Amino acid sequence: MQRLLCSIVLLLVWACRAQTPTFSPKADKLHAEDGGQIALPAARRYALLQQDTSWATVLALHYRTLVFDGHLDTPSRMLQSFDFGRRHARANGHVDLPRMFEGGLDAAFFAIYVPAAYGESAAAVRYARRMIAEVQRQVAAHADSVALAYSAADVLRITRSGRKAILLGLEGGHALAGSPDTLRALYEAGIRYVTLTHVSSHSWADASQDRPRWNGLNEKGRALIREMNRLGMLIDLSHASDATFFDVLAVTQAPVILSHSSMRALVPTVRNASDEMLRALAQNGGVVLINFFDALVNPNFTAEVYTEAEQRTGGNLRQLWDAVYAIARERRLPGATLEDVLNHIDHAVQVAGIDHVGLGSDFDGLFALPSGLEDVTRLPWITYGLYQRGYSATDIQKLLGGNLLRVLSQVEHAAAALRAREGVPAAE
């Protein structure tokens, strides 16, 4: 009888495991470290240690950790003669290669941002290709310090060689013109995620800052999601409407990301993620990457402020930030701080869990940053803040980059499994 009971228990355990999503957070054991050297200037380091000796622990942790940002808009500057290899003043950009080293940023998705004004046109694709080519050119010019990455393995290989890893994400699914062929061509060109919408709804998906056309995804959109899964391309739901978000989760067979969004429970704007979305994201195995934009993390931008701002736009939420900051100037509302960003991280962790949160600064794509996070050199202060709030070293490494690396790897594995079921060779 005892042997029979044991057999029944084992069968029940097996059955429960069989129902567990293949993209469980622990499915891939990636060690999110690169062993980097502390790169803060000696005088700055000494001053910090004089303030608080725990900075010694924090700096050692920060610079040995793989720090991975999910969304930088630096390529838009690069198309305007910005030399990524040269150090710039903060007024001229938030990120460049020398400051990446100083701030300990090891890997980042560079947004290939196509303005919504291009629509779903051949010109949109040409614009994306021109920006990709410029990133490739500038990265190649500094091959001793930086390289393009196309996979999680590339990220680890490049960063452990002491270089920075750059990945490419297409911001604005309108640039696909609804074409699976264009999607595949851009994947071949190096694109590894697609932000499904920007500020405008288009022929297959609705945006958060526009009127709905489909109440989420239409069938063309669902087909593109399935193709992204097959390719191993991350699906980015920042900027997408809530309905689009949930429609994607009903279709996708791989984890998704929110590459640059913050918490709606703390700042009630449609550009932020609701708690309901966070819980669904955790179930999916994905990750939300916290945006640093003042408008998305500033607690002074209350529901009343956003309601008035939306009224001022007459329903055209593409003009939302102009209206919000007009109100902020009129009322002399204070700006956000580093502590506010940490509060958004805390909230995301509390609702979604420690395995589903990371960083998506939106550096170079925003005009107002919190005090204390003025550019990429300030990233060690994020680590210090997390340490002061009691996060363990392991959890800090997840938040700084391990969770995003894990999702990237799991999307690749899901694609390989899908292609194997289709009988497609793994090398495709």
Side-chain angles (χ1 to χ4, degrees), residues 51-347:
Q51 294 171 18
D52 183 352
T53 56
S54 69
W55 268 104
T57 299
V58 168
L59 291 176
L61 173 62
H62 181 84
Y63 286 95
R64 77 169 183 265
T65 294
L66 174 71
V67 182
F68 191 175
D69 191 313
H71 195 90
L72 301 180
D73 275 295
T74 311
S76 293
R77 293 183 180 273
M78 293 164 81
L79 268 189
Q80 301 169 1
S81 303
F82 180 87
D83 182 354
F84 174 63
R86 182 172 64 83
R87 191 181 185 103
H88 297 260
R90 286 173 174 168
N92 297 324
H94 306 137
V95 179
D96 51 46
L97 192 52
R99 284 184 289 168
M100 282 183 74
F101 277 95
E102 181 176 327
L105 178 59
D106 301 297
F109 270 101
F110 272 23
I112 303 302
Y113 164 63
V114 179
Y118 278 92
E120 299 181 87
S121 65
V125 181
R126 288 195 297 271
Y127 186 90
R129 286 193 173 278
R130 186 159 65 93
M131 189 176 286
I132 292 169
E134 180 59 21
V135 173
Q136 291 171 334
R137 184 189 72 79
Q138 293 208 31
V139 167
H142 302 282
D144 57 335
S145 300
V146 63
L148 288 170
Y150 305 98
S151 67
D154 282 351
V155 171
L156 291 173
R157 173 181 54 81
I158 292 165
T159 57
R160 288 173 180 173
S161 74
R163 296 175 295 166
K164 303 304 180 185
I166 302 300
L167 303 93
L168 303 178
L170 177 70
E171 186 174 20
H174 56 274
L176 300 177
S179 167
D181 289 339
T182 300
L183 175 66
R184 288 188 283 268
L186 289 174
Y187 179 87
E188 290 300 319
I191 294 294
R192 289 299 180 268
Y193 78 55
V194 174
T195 311
L196 299 192
T197 67
H198 193 244
V199 295
S200 298
S201 300
H202 51 68
S203 72
W204 52 273
D206 289 339
S208 64
Q209 289 175 253
D210 200 3
R211 293 179 175 87
R213 294 176 61 181
W214 315 106
N215 292 316
L217 286 178
N218 62 15
E219 186 50 46
K220 185 196 301 184
R222 287 186 281 274
L224 286 167
I225 295 303
R226 288 189 285 267
E227 183 63 10
M228 289 178 205
N229 284 166
R230 195 191 73 84
L231 288 170
M233 186 178 282
L234 281 75
I235 299 160
D236 175 22
L237 296 171
S238 285
H239 286 291
S241 71
D242 290 16
T244 299
F245 176 93
F246 287 106
D247 278 358
V248 168
L249 291 195
V251 174
T252 184
Q253 298 183 62
V256 302
I257 65 170
L258 290 160
S259 73
H260 58 305
S261 295
S262 293
M263 301 295 100
R264 196 178 297 176
L266 302 185
V267 179
T269 167
V270 293
R271 266 291 284 115
N272 280 341
S274 69
D275 286 1
E276 182 185 8
M277 294 164 74
L278 293 177
R279 286 187 283 268
L281 183 75
Q283 185 67 32
N284 161 266
V287 61
V288 58
L289 307 172
I290 302 300
N291 193 321
F292 298 174
F293 184 23
D294 175 83
L296 301 188
V297 297
N298 190 333
N300 299 296
F301 293 170
T302 62
E304 187 272 330
V305 168
Y306 268 105
T307 297
E308 181 174 340
E310 291 178 14
Q311 290 171 348
R312 290 190 186 191
T313 70
N316 182 3
L317 297 190
R318 285 171 285 184
Q319 300 173 358
L320 183 61
W321 310 131
D322 291 340
V324 166
Y325 281 95
I327 294 169
R329 287 189 296 271
E330 293 164 10
R331 301 185 185 182
R332 299 183 180 180
L333 298 177
T337 67
L338 168 62
E339 292 299 312
D340 296 321
V341 173
L342 292 170
N343 289 341
H344 281 253
I345 294 173
D346 275 348
H347 185 84

